[in-house]
Every structure is written in C-alpha cells, then in structure tokens.
C-alpha cells in the first residue's frame, strides 16, 4: 500500500485537472527569488534547504548540513518557519555528529 501525503494528492488533482482542461491559467511562480542563503521549505518534499540560486525556471536548494543540492519549482516553496528551521538545524547537527563518531 502506498502512503500518499496531502501534497501528493494535491499535485495529482492539479495534474488531473490540467489534463482534463479544467485549469485555464496556472498560478504564476514567484517572480523574485529570495536572497542567497534564505531557508526555504520545499513543500513537495517536505524538506528545508538553503536557497543557492536559479537554474532555468527552478530554484536550487542545499541541505543545511551539506550534501547534494536539489531543484524545486518556486511555487512549491515557502519561507521556512521557526519550527522547520529548528528541525532542519537539529538534523544537520546530528548528521555532523554521526560523521565525526566514525
């Protein structure tokens, strides 16, 4: 059994509506990218990353503790609230601690 999040269900509904011609004009993505280093939450993946730049029409985010960056559509981002920032920082700190124990 596949576990689908609300974001997955919403994305599937949007794709279905677009294919059926029910969407007349999609909401335009944000026009101004955030300042480099801004912490954003990728709502499609429920991950927090640091804004690193723009690649084509997508934004590049990097995990706080380092690691591979990923790209996301601007409409799937929001500024990370304090809870999301604290969770991401704690996870990054734990990753660093585990790496130093080896």
């Amino acid at each position: 059994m596949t576990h689908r999040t609300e974001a997955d269900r919403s994305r599937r509904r949007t794709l279905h509506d677009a294919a059926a011609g029910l969407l007349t004009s999609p909401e335009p993505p944000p026009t101004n990218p955030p300042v480099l280093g801004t912490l954003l939450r990728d709502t499609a993946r429920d991950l927090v990353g640091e804004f690193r730049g723009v690649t084509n029409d997508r934004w590049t985010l990097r995990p706080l503790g380092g690691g591979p960056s990923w790209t996301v559509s601007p409409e799937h981002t929001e500024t990370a609230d304090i809870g999301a920032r604290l969770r991401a920082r704690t996870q990054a700190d734990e990753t660093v601690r585990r790496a130093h124990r080896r």
Side-chain angles (χ1 to χ4, degrees):
M1 182 168 140
T2 304
H3 177 352
R4 298 200 194 284
T5 64
E6 183 56 37
D8 292 333
R9 288 189 289 275
S10 175
R11 191 169 37 254
R12 290 174 68 84
R13 278 192 302 272
T14 300
L15 290 172
H16 176 269
D17 291 349
L22 300 174
L23 295 179
T24 54
S25 61
E27 184 178 316
T31 56
N32 297 324
V35 175
L36 288 178
T38 300
L39 294 182
L40 300 173
R41 187 171 81 87
D42 177 344
T43 59
R45 294 180 179 95
D46 195 28
L47 296 172
V48 173
E50 181 182 71
F51 177 73
R52 302 305 299 158
V54 178
T55 304
N56 297 323
D57 62 341
R58 297 175 64 83
W59 292 356
T60 303
L61 303 180
R62 183 181 65 87
L64 288 174
S69 59
W70 73 95
T71 60
V72 61
S73 295
E75 62 267 13
H76 290 144
T77 62
E78 63 186 22
T79 304
D81 64 15
I82 187 70
R85 290 187 301 208
L86 287 172
R87 282 188 298 278
R89 177 63 63 199
T90 302
Q91 184 179 13
D93 290 346
E94 185 58 31
T95 300
V96 170
R97 275 191 219 105
R98 272 191 241 130
H100 288 275
R101 286 184 203 152
R102 293 180 188 173

